[in-house]
Amino acid sequence: QVQVVEDGGKLVQFGGSLKLSCVVSGEFVGVGDIGWYRQAAGKERELVAAISTPYGTEYGDSAKGRFTVSIDHRKNTVVCNLLMNDLKPEDTAVYKCHAATRNGMYWGAGTQVTVSP
């Protein structure tokens, strides 16, 4: 069984910074792709940032220049961090982590990020 758990979402002020963490654990073999997506109320889910093997890092248009995604392989876990700077109210959304492993594809439950004007 594979678990994907996000953490770090909270209320922040306009222009602030926030780091989200995603921990993939359990019995998985290899993480080929891992990344963050977000869905704001009334809108479709969109890519924020993702790391793909072997294609590299991809950022959604709204994240370019402000957000940085990183990955840390540890024993039996993979951690994917999303550092978000210069946050804007339009960044308010539920942020979800997605991991593609050889066992299958998995989503976390999400973490809420709210940016106040």
Side-chain angles (χ1 to χ4, degrees):
Q1 191 173 1
V2 178
Q3 295 83 39
V4 178
V5 179
E6 304 99 334
D7 191 21
K10 63 179 183 179
L11 173 66
V12 295
Q13 290 187 336
F14 179 90
S17 298
L18 195 61
K19 187 177 87 169
L20 304 182
S21 294
C22 168
V23 177
V24 182
S25 62
E27 303 201 1
F28 63 91
V29 178
V31 175
D33 302 300
I34 188 168
W36 292 90
Y37 294 75
R38 71 184 186 187
Q39 187 165 17
K43 296 186 177 181
E44 293 186 355
R45 185 172 61 204
E46 63 175 350
L47 169 71
V48 179
I51 298 175
S52 173
T53 303
Y55 301 106
T57 303
E58 180 181 6
Y59 290 94
D61 289 340
S62 61
K64 291 177 182 176
R66 299 188 298 133
F67 296 179
T68 303
V69 66
S70 62
I71 189 169
D72 182 12
H73 292 272
R74 304 175 183 175
K75 184 177 180 180
N76 298 326
T77 64
V78 174
V79 179
C80 181
N81 294 316
L82 181 68
L83 177 60
M84 303 187 291
N85 295 316
D86 189 24
L87 284 163
K88 306 173 182 180
E90 50 264 43
D91 294 317
T92 295
V94 175
Y95 285 70
K96 289 191 174 184
C97 181
H98 176 262
T101 75
R102 293 182 189 176
N103 310 64
M105 294 187 291
Y106 302 90
W107 287 95
T111 186
Q112 175 71 45
V113 173
T114 303
V115 184
S116 62

